[in-house]
Amino acid sequence: MPGAAAAARSILTQLHEVMAARTHAQAKLNKIVDIIGEALTSEVCSIYLLREGMLELFATRGLNQSAVHVTRLGVGEGLTGTIAENIETLNLDEAATHPEFQYRPETGEEKFHSFAGVPIVRNARAIGVLTVQHVEPRKYEEVEIEALQTVAMVLAELIHNAGLVDEEQLDERSAAQSGQQVLEGMRLVKGLAYGKAVFHQPRVTIEHTVAEDTEAERQRVYLAFDKMREQIDAMTNQAEFGVGGEHEQVLETYKMFAYDEGWSRRINEAIDSGLTAEAAIERVQQRTRQRMREISDPLLQDRMHDLEDLANRLIRIVSGQLGTAARTGLQNDTILIAKNLGPAELLEYDKRRLKGVVLEQGSLTAHVVIVARAMGVPVIGRVRNVRGLVREGDDLLVDGDAAKVTIRPGQAVLDAFDTRLARKKQRQAEYAKLRDVEPFTADGQRIEVMMNAGLRDDVAMLGLTGADGIGLYRTEFQFLVSAALPQRDRQTRLYHDVLEAAGDKRVIFRTVDIGGDKSLPYLTSDHTSEDENPAMGWRALRLALEREGLLKVQARALLEGAAGHELNVMFPMVSEPWEFDAAKAVFDSQLAFLKKRKHKLPTAIRYGVMLEVPSLAEVLDLLLPRVSFISIGTNDLTQFLFAADRANPALAERYDWLSPAILRFLRRVVRNTEGSGVDLGVCGEMGGRRLEALALIGLGIRRLSITPAAVGPIKELVSRIDMVEIGTAMEEWLASPPPDMRAALSAWAEERGIEVD
Ligand code: PEP
Ligand code: MG
């Protein structure tokens, strides 16, 4: 709207002079209220600033001067306090009709009917309020409100530079005022953690709001738009490697916003009004935020998050403040706050300082969560608007067990936390005692409790937990943490080191499972750009078979790395037996090559598959003669059985692992495998939870491969189960499923004094 730009521009030009003048801050404020009052032909213009927790009238034109530094309102008190509290604009033709209206006689404001006010915001907090009042009862025009909002941005800079509001004290005070706050989410990784909030993508503080050279600012925004669009296009093209369904939607929306002419036009108009590029982007964002707040459609609000992300990205580009908190390094014990993270992004953080993660999205079997679990970092997901409610540097307590985040925890909560931590340590010490105890059920059945791994350091957990071996080594993690495709010798070295470290214990290496939510920027292809559903698309073995070079190199590396050891190779996402044959053929030809060259070979080679695509279960009879072992990947299997994207937070809680559908499916696989001599196990996240593990053992599963932290608890569980008894109970439940399988299993365990989580 050119009118808005012109109005704001004329005010900003005058403000610029005021700001540059060498006068005292109070004199500047006095001048400013005059300029604004004049420009908006308002009898009254006032500035309230936060001082000692109260909004104090600092300058006014039109109200009684004797009220200056006398009239004070609490945050949330009266119209001005409401604006500050909600960080929202009010525009009323009759102020007295608003429910929060309060009359202050010392101001002499009774004769003014219309009222408009905007918050003065810095770092997402209201540090003051700018108001205008008018005798005649009329609403202010949109143009005028916009001009006020623009001026408020500039005022925020002036107030900050003049030190009129003690922002540090403001932090402490607002912390004390709002006190402790508890947010609820979804339990993704158990555990307790305490630390300071750090945003994965730090918020940029805008230092300069008034432009020196409008054309230069326009150029900066143009360039930033170009760069941002390039980034979004690159991200969309990478989606080939599998960003989950949810991600894809987000990218589409990003793209739509990134190319939205209306958005760039509005930013340009804000620049026309005299703002810097950063301030103009923020100004437009404020306006959008306000509009969105008026529409209470949850779908639109989700889109608003996307637009916020994009606007932040644009501001970061324009101000050159790029990079995530991982790049700048963590200073303290940290609780990382993000909308969502990829596994590779999480791996960039310093493990010693990263104590917990809180996400707005996330789901139980997303790979970032699997990585966090392996790192032993508690994660809470699906915490609505956590990025809006938490501030950088806030003290946070993450209770991954109860799926709660406490912001600024009080002493009582901290004491309770310490007690629980101590109890947890004690329990862990008890589990540690089981390290060298072989897991037998109460009726003497040996259950193999293996662990999942993927990083070189994970192998150390074998010794610490006493796991029976590594039932799933996710080789793609090495690819995820590398900037480029790992060369063969690096792969060989890793596999060799893992086997050396594992000693006598068995390690099952899974060939690369790239795709789905594990994307690699350096590995792209034509296929995937049209992949609408990457989790079901060109991923894992499908990709490896086609990129034969990739599998060939890995086969050589595994065969050479395992020289002198038993090699166990497992192929992911096998959907039909011929895929197994094709993958094994790649190994066979590499083996023949090494034999011919008289290289040292593995002492034995066992081949197996992941059973995670339901179709494979229908042809088990064809598969069994070919393989030595099968590992059921319940993470993918459940997503395919329920047709529910494992990375989609909206579906994260919809289906239960303990549903008759899954349990009956698994039982059928167990039965059809019995007597074949093929070793059957489960390596999905499900097996690491006590109640789920109980169900799996009840189905006759004798090998679990789970996250290292669960090895102790599951060993303890095993020792308390009578396998025949739970088997019988499971038979009955599956013949005629109770309305709530989870409840039935829990009750069964409780009756026997078995603790489940
Ligand atoms: C699974 O799908 O259950 C599994 C163990 O593999 P991933 O989680 O790596 O897909
Ligand atoms: Mg899988």
Side-chain angles (χ1 to χ4, degrees):
M1 201 187 290
R9 187 165 183 80
S10 112
I11 301 177
L12 284 200
T13 315
Q14 296 179 64
L15 284 193
H16 200 159
E17 283 163 24
V18 175
M19 283 169 76
R22 299 184 141 266
T23 47
H24 190 264
Q26 179 69 50
K28 287 181 180 172
L29 292 181
N30 293 346
K31 188 89 186 104
I32 288 170
V33 289
D34 271 340
I35 293 172
I36 300 169
E38 200 67 43
L40 300 189
T41 49
S42 275
E43 282 94 353
V44 178
C45 175
S46 314
I47 294 173
Y48 294 81
L49 297 186
L50 254 189
R51 187 141 93 172
E52 290 162 0
M54 301 289 279
L55 288 159
E56 182 173 311
L57 180 63
F58 256 68
T60 184
R61 149 195 161 115
L63 297 184
N64 293 338
Q65 289 304 318
S66 54
V68 172
H69 298 300
V70 172
T71 296
R72 303 175 90 213
L73 294 150
V75 174
E77 194 185 349
L79 299 179
T80 305
T82 304
I83 293 167
E85 185 175 58
N86 301 337
I87 314 192
E88 68 177 11
T89 297
L90 284 183
N91 182 9
L92 310 165
D93 47 5
E94 192 56 77
T97 58
H98 192 281
E100 299 301 330
F101 176 77
Q102 271 192 19
Y103 170 56
R104 289 301 171 100
E106 75 274 11
T107 59
E109 62 184 343
E110 60 277 14
K111 48 187 177 293
F112 305 109
H113 292 272
S114 60
F115 173 98
V118 298
I120 303 170
V121 180
R122 186 163 168 89
N123 286 340
R125 267 161 291 173
I127 55 169
V129 175
L130 172 65
T131 65
V132 284
Q133 287 167 277
H134 213 281
V135 173
E136 189 194 326
R138 65 155 177 107
K139 266 199 175 179
Y140 281 84
E141 304 271 334
E142 175 110 1
V143 186
E144 294 171 306
I145 296 293
E146 293 207 357
L148 271 183
Q149 288 168 335
T150 304
V151 169
M153 277 194 84
V154 178
L155 268 178
E157 183 190 338
L158 183 144
I159 291 160
H160 168 75
N161 290 343
L164 288 175
V165 171
D166 185 347
E167 286 168 42
E168 244 171 61
Q169 213 187 41
L170 180 73
D171 270 348
E172 283 165 23
R173 199 172 25 250
S174 54
Q177 267 168 5
S178 39
Q180 171 181 309
Q181 196 181 351
V182 180
L183 310 178
E184 296 200 11
M186 181 184 179
R187 182 178 100 183
L188 296 180
V189 179
K190 282 171 62 174
L192 299 173
Y194 180 62
K196 299 243 178 247
V198 170
F199 282 81
H200 172 59
Q201 298 205 301
R203 191 188 283 275
V204 176
T205 306
I206 298 172
E207 298 301 344
H208 298 292
T209 51
V210 182
E212 296 286 338
D213 175 349
T214 297
E215 271 322 301
E217 297 302 319
R218 203 186 308 284
Q219 275 310 314
R220 291 177 67 216
V221 163
Y222 279 147
L223 290 175
F225 258 103
D226 281 350
K227 199 159 181 185
M228 181 187 68
R229 287 170 181 164
E230 255 170 47
Q231 287 180 356
I232 301 296
D233 289 347
M235 274 161 74
T236 320
N237 293 338
Q238 269 166 33
E240 41 195 80
F241 261 104
V243 237
E246 158 92 0
H247 248 89
E248 216 159 284
Q249 262 179 23
V250 170
L251 281 178
E252 271 315 306
T253 321
Y254 272 10
K255 212 166 170 169
M256 201 179 77
F257 285 137
Y259 283 92
D260 178 17
E261 288 303 323
W263 188 33
S264 49
R265 194 190 60 240
R266 282 190 293 278
I267 293 175
N268 252 311
E269 282 167 10
I271 289 180
D272 281 340
S273 72
L275 293 175
T276 57
E278 290 90 336
I281 301 164
E282 175 58 22
R283 174 70 201 87
V284 170
Q285 200 50 22
Q286 280 179 358
R287 191 167 58 185
T288 317
R289 249 178 244 141
Q290 188 191 335
R291 295 239 163 100
M292 290 298 214
R293 215 177 293 148
E294 286 156 14
I295 312 167
S296 60
D297 175 343
L299 261 179
L300 273 180
Q301 284 182 355
D302 275 352
R303 293 288 78 86
M304 182 61 206
H305 273 304
D306 299 340
L307 185 56
E308 287 272 357
D309 264 7
L310 216 53
N312 287 337
R313 181 183 286 264
L314 197 58
I315 293 183
R316 279 198 302 273
I317 295 174
V318 97
S319 61
Q321 298 181 47
L322 298 161
T324 66
R327 304 274 157 81
T328 43
L330 302 180
Q331 305 300 326
N332 302 301
D333 281 357
T334 293
I335 307 294
L336 193 66
I337 310 290
K339 178 173 180 176
N340 212 344
L341 286 172
E345 285 177 310
L346 181 65
L347 286 166
E348 278 183 6
Y349 283 92
D350 178 350
K351 257 198 210 177
R352 287 159 307 170
R353 294 221 160 100
L354 183 66
K355 299 295 172 194
V357 177
V358 183
L359 303 174
E360 280 182 11
Q361 302 186 336
S363 65
L364 218 43
T365 53
H367 277 93
V368 60
V369 172
I370 293 175
V371 170
R373 201 170 285 132
M375 286 164 81
V377 174
V379 183
I380 302 180
R382 312 203 61 203
V383 182
R384 263 192 96 78
N385 191 26
V386 66
R387 289 175 307 160
L389 297 166
V390 168
R391 292 176 205 141
E392 184 98 23
D394 268 347
D395 280 336
L396 293 185
L397 202 152
V398 167
D399 183 344
D401 302 354
K404 283 190 180 137
V405 189
T406 310
I407 312 174
R408 302 173 290 270
Q411 198 51 48
V413 174
L414 285 175
D415 289 346
F417 171 78
D418 285 342
T419 314
R420 281 183 53 206
L421 203 61
R423 211 179 309 139
K424 230 181 162 106
K425 283 208 173 120
Q426 190 188 346
R427 197 177 285 178
Q428 269 160 3
E430 278 158 26
Y431 290 142
K433 282 192 214 142
L434 298 175
R435 200 185 59 183
D436 302 322
V437 178
E438 282 191 47
F440 279 99
T441 59
D443 53 342
Q445 302 292 322
R446 177 71 159 90
I447 303 292
E448 253 186 299
V449 181
M450 302 178 89
M451 59 168 246
N452 296 343
L455 299 170
R456 186 186 292 263
D457 296 352
D458 292 348
V459 185
M461 293 304 286
L462 259 184
L464 294 173
T465 58
D468 282 315
I470 297 179
L472 166 64
Y473 192 93
R474 291 182 165 100
T475 60
E476 65 276 6
F477 279 14
Q478 187 190 22
F479 290 61
L480 282 178
V481 296
S482 308
L485 206 65
Q487 298 294 310
R488 196 181 83 216
D489 57 339
R490 272 188 57 210
Q491 293 187 41
T492 311
R493 212 169 324 126
L494 174 70
Y495 306 146
H496 171 81
D497 292 352
V498 168
L499 285 168
E500 285 290 314
D504 298 340
K505 294 188 176 177
R506 177 168 283 171
V507 179
I508 299 179
F509 288 101
R510 176 175 76 182
T511 58
V512 281
D513 181 4
I514 296 162
D517 58 351
K518 289 177 284 195
S519 58
L520 292 182
Y522 52 81
L523 199 59
T524 55
S525 142
D526 300 340
H527 277 307
T528 41
S529 47
E530 69 245 18
D531 228 349
E532 283 194 1
N533 192 338
M536 290 206 234
W538 196 63
R539 64 171 273 210
L541 194 61
R542 298 167 181 182
L543 175 157
L545 282 177
E546 207 156 313
R547 286 257 177 160
E548 213 192 296
L550 185 82
L551 192 59
K552 231 192 230 168
V553 167
Q554 189 171 32
R556 255 298 269 295
L558 280 166
L559 290 163
E560 288 187 337
H565 294 271
E566 177 187 278
L567 173 63
N568 290 274
V569 181
M570 175 158 75
F571 301 116
M573 287 282 287
V574 174
S575 313
E576 293 205 311
W578 70 263
E579 288 171 313
F580 170 81
D581 296 340
K584 182 167 174 290
V586 175
F587 276 74
D588 284 342
S589 76
Q590 291 303 313
L591 186 63
F593 174 86
L594 292 175
K595 265 186 192 155
K596 212 161 80 194
R597 305 251 158 149
K598 306 230 175 323
H599 279 259
K600 190 173 174 193
L601 300 174
T603 51
I605 308 177
R606 295 168 81 239
Y607 292 98
V609 295
M610 299 272 301
L611 194 158
E612 48 189 348
V613 180
S615 61
L616 198 60
E618 298 299 330
V619 284
L620 262 189
D621 54 331
L622 307 180
L623 179 79
L624 290 172
R626 296 161 144 99
V627 298
S628 300
F629 61 91
I630 294 177
S631 194
I632 305 177
T634 48
N635 303 339
D636 275 312
L637 181 66
T638 30
Q639 88 165 334
F640 298 135
L641 272 181
F642 282 125
D645 184 348
R646 65 192 264 188
N648 187 336
L651 298 174
E653 284 165 294
R654 194 173 183 105
Y655 304 107
D656 192 346
W657 276 322
L658 295 178
S659 77
I662 295 184
L663 298 177
R664 280 182 176 171
F665 185 97
L666 294 177
R667 183 182 56 168
R668 198 153 60 87
V669 173
V670 173
R671 284 201 180 148
N672 292 345
T673 310
E674 263 160 14
S676 66
V678 170
D679 169 16
L680 179 70
V682 167
C683 64
E685 300 305 300
M686 180 178 175
R689 294 192 158 201
R690 283 168 64 103
L691 196 61
E692 281 79 351
L694 173 64
L696 291 171
I697 294 169
L699 291 171
I701 296 285
R702 289 163 185 275
R703 176 164 59 85
L704 296 173
S705 188
I706 55 184
T707 192
V711 170
I714 297 298
K715 273 183 155 190
E716 197 269 348
L717 173 88
V718 166
S719 69
R720 302 171 60 100
I721 302 176
D722 184 308
M723 199 162 170
V724 172
E725 197 186 9
I726 183 65
T728 314
M730 191 55 93
E731 274 303 310
E732 282 168 19
W733 287 322
L734 289 188
S736 154
D740 184 345
M741 196 71 171
R742 181 169 288 277
L745 261 157
S746 296
W748 187 94
E750 209 170 294
E751 275 163 30
R752 285 155 187 81
I754 302 173
E755 234 181 272
V756 283
D757 42 16

